[in-house]
Amino acid sequence: LLSLGTGTTSEFDKTHTAEETAKWGALQWMLIIQQMTEAASSYMTDYYLSTVFQDLHSQNNYLRVQENALTGTTTKADDASEANMELLAQVGENLLKKPVSKDNPETYEEALKRFAKLLSDRRKLRANKASY
């Protein structure tokens, strides 16, 4: 299973003072709650799938690809400007060089190549079985 995320912001790394949050209106609180809910859902889905694949001794058959520190215009899902597309392409290039996780030093580039080979080998195996 190749799980492709749409990315998350580093918004939760920010801290806010009581004075700042006291000035927030209902809309600001609703946006914060929505962001937290979406992030929690993404993390929980990844955690659940990762755990299931580990329990089945198939952890090499699951790969989640997601950038977790988007900033600026790269966080805007509706910004299809050429400049933003170039920024997103750069985010993807940079992500390829990052380790998959702190427990797995394999880079995303290495993991995707391994995953592609695994899928290709399985397809060849199915094709050979079908030809009998």
Side-chain angles (χ1 to χ4, degrees):
L1 175 64
L2 178 60
S3 176
L4 300 176
T6 57
T8 61
T9 67
S10 54
E11 194 67 23
F12 298 110
D13 295 338
K14 291 183 182 177
T15 58
H16 301 281
T17 65
E19 291 80 22
E20 287 176 307
T21 58
K23 297 174 187 172
W24 288 358
L27 181 60
Q28 181 67 31
W29 281 108
M30 286 173 41
L31 290 172
I32 293 293
I33 291 169
Q34 178 186 5
Q35 289 174 348
M36 291 173 58
T37 302
E38 289 172 2
S41 175
S42 175
Y43 288 118
M44 289 305 297
T45 300
D46 178 41
Y47 176 78
Y48 172 74
L49 288 171
S50 178
T51 302
V52 168
F53 276 83
Q54 285 177 17
D55 287 347
L56 296 172
H57 304 287
S58 300
Q59 55 269 24
N60 287 336
N61 294 338
Y62 174 71
L63 178 62
R64 172 73 174 174
V65 179
Q66 173 156 293
E67 174 57 65
N68 291 314
L70 294 176
T71 59
T73 60
T74 61
T75 64
K76 308 279 188 228
D78 60 348
D79 184 351
S81 67
E82 187 173 336
N84 199 47
M85 294 297 105
E86 289 175 12
L87 282 173
L88 287 169
Q90 188 59 52
V91 166
E93 290 291 327
N94 293 342
L95 182 60
L96 287 173
K97 306 300 181 207
K98 290 183 178 181
V100 171
S101 71
K102 62 182 175 186
D103 300 330
N104 181 357
E106 180 181 44
T107 65
Y108 278 106
E109 183 174 27
E110 294 164 339
L112 287 167
K113 285 179 181 177
R114 178 184 48 78
F115 207 76
K117 180 167 179 11
L118 175 70
L119 292 174
S120 177
D121 290 348
R122 288 193 179 173
R123 184 178 185 284
K124 288 175 188 174
L125 182 63
R126 281 194 308 274
N128 286 340
K129 285 182 180 179
S131 66
Y132 288 115

